[in-house]
Amino acid sequence: MCGFGGYFGTLHEGERLLRAMTRALRHRGPDEEGVFVAPQAGLAHTRLSIVGLSDGQQPMRDASGDLVIAFNGEIFNYVELREELRGRGRRFRTSSDTEVILHLYDEMGEDCVSRLNGDFAFAIWDARRRRMVLARDRMGVRPLFYTQHGGTFWFASEVKALLQVPGVEAAMDPVALDQIFTLWAPIAPRTPFRNIFELEPASLMVVDANGVATRPYWRLEFPDEGEPSRHRDEAAAAEELRALLTDATRLRMRADVPVGSYLSGGLDSSIVSALAAGMTPQTLRTFSVTFDSAEHDESAFQAEMARALGTRHEAVHCGEGDIAAVFPDVVRFTERPILRTAPAPLFRLSGLVREAGLKVVLTGEGADEVFAGYDIFKEARVRRFCGRQPGSRIRPHLFRKLYPYLPGLQQQSAEYLAAFFGAGNDPLDDPLFSHRPRLRGTAAAKLFFSPDLRAALCGYDAAEEMASLLPEDFRRWHPLHRAQYLESRFLLPGYILSSQGDRMAMAHGIEGRFPFLDHRLVEFAAGLPPEMKLKGLTEKHILREATRDILPPLIGRRPKQPYRAPDSRSFTGAGALDYVAAAMSEERVAANGLFNPKAVAKLAAKCAGGQAAGFRDNAAFVGVLSTQLWVETFTAAGAGVARAA
Amino acid sequence: MTDSIRDDVRAFIVENFLFGDATQAPADGASLIENDIIDSTGVLELVAFIEERFGIVMADADIVPANLDSLDRIAAFVAGRSAAARTQAAE
């Protein structure tokens, strides 16, 4: 795991700028750094040494000297690929996975990505064809951003490296802000930085004298609804799942340094930890977050699992004020406004792992997308059930079962429950049906947008853009699969793997690995019948069946508890810090021009008074605060950003 | 009477749910839920306001969109309850 950057173009001061980029990316790769400069291109790299500790330095050249690579991530099947390549007469000079990519590229060109099982972003300078090839892994675990300035094409693992280039300046893209305040994340390739983009997951980009060409090399797809599945026998499917997940975990245990595991106390990280514990001769080290508030804390389940597995377990506690204390750093690393504080505890958690002396952790992330674990999938099923009989007073009671941890909902009448979830109102054939309540609830926070920002947006609708990007066969898929696609295509790479994933882990030089996002497992799960994933209102049914023997019953039967952290109240009361009041002040909000200062002042007062209990007020508070911090962290001057759009 | 109830409730909604932005105030007949003005916790805030401001007690069965999901519905509900209370008092 590392950071890299580079350019395509002719520069006089290429090396100096590449060095500046490595300084900006040092947190991603504190162990080594290097640069490569050619007449038409340059590469920079900061290294977190995990595989091939002594001989994996980058940028790395092939034997001919014509191919040079800068690479962030891991190719988990590099051992098998290297043997295969050796069998074809190829000779290796290092023990690293990096060299495997170079050889494969030499044989297959950019199509080599189809052979890679891993989490990766890389750039290969191909001097023979005078082109730069960029690639990113299928699910979007590793980031890659780019921009063009002064006739030169620039790219890097994080935007802060691009901002080292003279003339590349940060300014808020109003459309990206609208997307974040609707979908929780910008829609790639757009980022919050105007004129700075990200390469979409599962995409290749070739940059040469003819320009820039991008194409996808893989996509998540589901069978048509009603199409006979090859997985008719549940026991056989569970067995196949177990074998795939075991192999995905085994590959992700490969490292020349110890591998630990996050352990939230939920089903997914417990499964991964259990599998990993059985594969390592040493005692597995596990790590978790604990909270003061009972509604967020899962320490009892974490302790139960750690005891059952015999792991060496450590936890970082998030008490009052801890989230506020790190929040400015969190925004500096997410590089995008966020509507939840959930990344902050993960920032502290990666710090704990670093202090413990580890560089690599497994996580259970991805299981909820792949095996339909999120509440939104169940919610959509209940809404469809209600939508078939809109006047029913009985059916909406099912919504209470979905959210036992939300007391505000438990107290509502059936009529109100139906109204809140749009049951009976949203057209059943709407492609975004599953996500409409969330989209509406989130977009309500746009109430705080300033008149200037609204004018700059000209009526733009992020949900409409989302709908326009869906594949042709989307409408033929089962409703559950449509919902899984929306979650996996938009929220997973844009928020979960980014703001809660790579960026929080790499802030402390920690590499997260995600067995559930092995593409073989993702493809297998996509082909499973919907009822094997969401059986009635029981989520991840087949996963529970496949792992029943390795989990204590308390964990294996545990219903999904979404990972959440205290929101606005983290910033008020005893946790109040001066920077919060300053960032939310009428003067600063007015100066940055993105929000309505008087409305924000009332929101801040409501939160300070402990009256902000709902999702909307909390999301708005965190969204406004993080946007204010983003503007003040990255831009020279926030004033007039929206007006200049 | 319903006009003044409507005005009071509108002012509460603008201040509490729209954070003072009167330009976003709902039309009298507009759904507060469908226009994303109120969420599940907001309903409880609204009930607390109505009880305090108009001196009526709302039973669980009263807390339904038919009574509370627009300014018109709230005004009609509160006016009806107040009239009933006055009649009861006169008897």
Side-chain angles (χ1 to χ4, degrees), chain A residues 23-27 158-161 163 193 325-338 343 347 499 503-504 506-508 625-626 629-634:
Chain A
R23 282 194 292 279
L25 295 171
R26 196 163 281 158
H27 55 280
E158 295 185 19
V159 173
K160 51 180 69 70
L163 298 177
F193 297 85
V326 299
F327 201 66
D329 280 337
V330 167
V331 174
R332 187 159 59 85
F333 285 104
T334 61
E335 296 185 327
R336 54 189 54 176
I338 47 179
F347 176 85
S499 296
R503 315 314 290 278
M504 291 304 99
M506 289 311 295
H508 291 109
L625 176 62
S626 61
L629 293 173
W630 184 96
V631 170
E632 290 168 17
T633 301
F634 294 104

Side-chain angles (χ1 to χ4, degrees), chain A residues 76 119 142 245-255 258-264 268-280 284-288 349 353 358-365 505 510-516:
Chain A
F76 299 118
D119 303 334
R142 302 298 162 221
L245 182 58
T246 302
D247 195 56
T249 308
R250 180 184 65 84
L251 292 185
R252 282 159 183 77
M253 293 292 285
R254 284 178 170 167
V259 176
S261 186
Y262 282 172
L263 186 57
S264 71
D268 313 330
S269 64
S270 295
I271 292 170
V272 167
S273 296
L275 290 172
M279 292 175 189
T280 178
L284 182 72
R285 298 185 68 175
T286 50
F287 302 90
S288 64
L349 182 58
V353 176
L358 268 71
K359 295 180 181 178
V360 184
V361 284
L362 304 176
T363 95
E365 214 64 81
I510 299 300
E511 174 176 301
R513 294 183 176 182
F514 311 88
F516 286 109

